[in-house]
Amino acid sequence: MKFFVGLNAWMLPVAAIASFIFGGIWYGVLSKQWMNAAGLTMEDINARRGNVAHPFVVTLLCQLIMAWMLAGVILHMAKGGSPATAMTGMITAAFLWLGFVVTTQIVNHQFQMQKASLTAMTI
């Protein structure tokens, strides 16, 4: 299965899952420090019990988007012989913004229990 030319779409879920697992380990080890830095308490976390899976599902979807955008940027940059133009610059910037800025903001705000309106304003 190929998206774009040379993009192996089967590797996108592999990359997303690897990133998801790494993030889980990282924030698992640093959970107390993260909660302190985010201004959250165990009571805040426990109050979310009915909606506990939501940020994890959103995170996995964002990791898929991030993997796809990174692959797209790498393929875009690897086009040898093509001169850089304003259009290629805008495409690259859009991929980087969507793939890294937007996805990171969404994930951070989900786990910090922020409103979607804050995410929309900060991206």
Side-chain angles (χ1 to χ4, degrees):
M1 182 177 196
K2 302 274 182 184
F3 289 96
F4 303 126
V5 175
L7 177 60
N8 184 344
W10 296 111
M11 292 311 296
L12 297 178
V14 171
I17 291 168
S19 178
F20 185 82
I21 290 170
F22 178 79
I25 293 168
W26 180 266
Y27 285 105
V29 170
L30 298 173
S31 61
K32 289 181 180 148
Q33 294 90 335
W34 176 83
M35 286 175 51
N36 185 43
L40 297 173
T41 65
M42 278 308 292
E43 290 77 28
D44 297 328
I45 303 297
N46 289 333
R48 174 189 259 195
R49 287 289 180 215
N51 203 10
V52 72
H54 186 262
F56 294 99
V57 172
V58 169
T59 298
L60 189 55
L61 291 173
C62 284
Q63 296 296 350
L64 279 167
I65 293 169
M66 191 179 290
W68 187 29
M69 292 299 108
L70 178 59
V73 167
I74 290 170
L75 287 172
H76 183 70
M77 301 286 284
K79 285 184 178 178
S82 297
T85 65
M87 182 56 78
T88 59
M90 289 188 292
I91 291 169
T92 301
F95 276 6
L96 293 173
W97 175 76
L98 177 62
F100 299 99
V101 175
V102 173
T103 56
T104 301
Q105 290 284 41
I106 289 170
V107 170
N108 286 339
H109 289 158
Q110 283 291 306
F111 279 101
Q112 292 174 11
M113 297 185 265
Q114 300 293 327
K115 294 181 180 179
S117 59
L118 176 64
T119 305
M121 283 188 278
T122 59
I123 57 173

